Amino acid sequence: MKKLPRLLAILLCFPLLGNLFMAEDERPQREERMASTAGFSVIVEMQNGSYCYDPEEVLPFMMASMLADQKGEELCRAAAVICRTNLVYKWQQENRPGQLILEDTGMACRDEITDHMQQAAADTVGIVLTYEGEVIPAPFFYMSSGKTRDTGLPFLKSVDCSDNLYDKEYLLQYHYRKKDFYARIKEISGWKFCNSLQDMELERDDSGYVKVIHCTGEEMILTADALCQVMELRSPDFDWEEQENLIMIRTRGIGHGIGFDVCYGARLDAQGMEYRQILEYFYKDIMLDKRYNACE
């Protein structure tokens, strides 16, 4: 498989799992757990110890974090396959026999899990996304700015999601005091001569997302991801303008724009697509491969 682009590799390093929020006696200890039919168990490292789960037990918590307020049976099935694929991919990449170790990150709790999520995990048990026989990384995000991004990988091409433009959450504006804004820019970029937006140029990809920012007279570049993290912007598709003593930034969409668009996936579900069709819309030329069965 082609080497992962740096941005995608970074995205896949983010935690996959949310807080399981189980009572102490509900959490199976590592030594009490039987081997999973998946070939590995998920070890969740917490402050009060390590807890062992079958990958299928973990999926609903991951799905709750991924889907937020979006619903739909076929969307849930697609999400189950995506989350399972990422678990298997991460386990294979770490190459640790029989186990995948994750840190508990507090992303989702038991109360956020629905019956649809649990049923979706059961309906798709063992199914993962593959390309040319290999399990793929399956990034996802909440809402694109109209298109997903092309990563250079054959299964992660840009696709149209233009109906997102009509979503009430599509646009968001941020305002910063000029003094604070330029101080932050200089701090994270190392630039010395950045005192106006006219000094900076936004370089975009083919889908309209900002990749990097150039500054006149400076050799170093600033990545859009670094800016989004420091300024707490919810999307790297943005524009900006000066307004008297303020800098206004307007973002489009929610998330990094690579892979599965949850909001558009919900639209495809509402249009009658089955989960396999929804997955094939976002991940090109993939196969849905059943790698294991449910635990007995």
Side-chain angles (χ1 to χ4, degrees):
M1 184 182 295
K2 186 176 179 181
K3 186 177 180 181
L4 292 181
R6 184 178 180 185
L7 173 60
L8 181 56
I10 292 172
L11 292 172
L12 290 169
C13 289
F14 285 116
L16 294 171
L17 179 63
N19 191 336
L20 301 186
F21 279 89
M22 293 182 181
E24 185 72 27
D25 57 358
E26 291 180 299
R27 290 178 170 141
Q29 297 289 343
R30 182 182 305 188
E31 62 272 15
E32 297 173 353
R33 195 69 176 161
M34 296 182 65
S36 166
T37 58
F40 68 98
S41 297
V42 178
I43 309 299
V44 182
E45 300 285 3
M46 304 183 69
Q47 291 183 348
N48 60 346
S50 299
Y51 301 92
C52 183
Y53 301 91
D54 183 271
E56 295 298 313
E57 293 178 299
V58 172
L59 289 185
F61 296 93
M62 297 174 65
M63 294 164 63
S65 177
M66 172 183 175
L67 296 175
D69 58 345
Q70 296 294 337
K71 299 178 176 65
E73 292 184 8
E74 297 303 316
L75 176 66
C76 283
R77 292 188 179 101
V81 174
I82 290 170
C83 292
R84 183 184 298 109
T85 298
N86 284 326
L87 279 178
V88 174
Y89 178 82
K90 186 173 177 64
W91 169 61
Q92 291 181 346
Q93 293 299 303
E94 293 188 358
N95 196 27
R96 185 180 288 112
Q99 62 183 24
L100 170 64
I101 297 178
L102 298 176
E103 292 184 2
D104 176 53
T105 59
M107 289 170 57
C109 68
R110 180 180 291 277
D111 292 341
E112 296 171 325
I113 296 174
T114 66
D115 292 340
H116 282 323
M117 294 175 189
Q118 293 177 322
Q119 186 60 51
D123 290 344
T124 63
V125 64
I127 297 177
V128 297
L129 301 173
T130 64
Y131 179 80
E132 295 184 345
E134 296 185 33
V135 178
I136 66 169
F140 59 86
F141 62 102
Y142 192 70
M143 182 195 300
S144 74
S145 63
K147 292 181 180 179
T148 63
R149 304 172 74 175
D150 191 331
T151 65
L153 292 174
F155 52 86
L156 285 175
K157 300 293 186 181
S158 176
V159 299
D160 178 75
C161 304
S162 54
D163 285 350
N164 285 347
L165 276 63
Y166 306 105
D167 194 286
K168 63 181 180 180
E169 295 186 272
Y170 178 73
L171 292 174
L172 185 65
Q173 290 188 4
Y174 302 77
H175 294 88
Y176 307 91
R177 292 193 307 172
K178 283 186 179 180
K179 181 179 179 180
D180 296 337
F181 176 81
Y182 290 118
R184 289 189 188 183
I185 290 288
K186 291 177 180 178
E187 180 180 357
I188 62 175
S189 66
W191 295 339
K192 297 180 180 179
F193 309 106
C194 174
N195 300 299
S196 170
L197 293 184
Q198 294 181 352
D199 297 332
M200 292 180 282
E201 178 184 357
L202 304 178
E203 180 182 338
R204 300 180 184 273
D205 62 20
D206 292 339
S207 296
Y209 289 84
V210 178
K211 297 192 299 182
V212 296
I213 304 163
H214 302 272
C215 182
T216 302
E218 300 283 358
E219 293 185 2
M220 293 182 291
I221 60 173
L222 174 62
T223 67
D225 293 324
L227 179 71
C228 288
Q229 183 175 2
V230 171
M231 298 296 185
E232 299 183 348
L233 304 180
R234 64 181 190 176
S235 170
D237 186 348
F238 61 85
D239 52 40
W240 52 23
E241 63 180 74
E242 295 191 7
Q243 298 178 340
E244 296 184 358
N245 295 322
L246 297 175
I247 299 294
M248 186 276 289
I249 299 181
R250 181 189 297 108
T251 60
R252 290 174 284 272
I254 304 173
H256 50 68
I258 296 176
F260 189 87
D261 179 332
V262 171
C263 285
Y264 203 75
R267 292 178 185 273
L268 297 179
D269 182 332
Q271 292 171 13
M273 278 195 181
E274 296 182 353
Y275 79 94
R276 292 175 179 267
Q277 296 172 304
I278 296 173
L279 291 169
E280 289 167 354
Y281 184 82
F282 293 102
Y283 305 108
K284 299 302 181 183
D285 300 320
I286 50 91
M287 298 290 291
L288 277 72
D289 186 359
K290 190 174 182 69
R291 290 296 176 98
Y292 58 85
N293 296 310
C295 287
E296 296 181 356

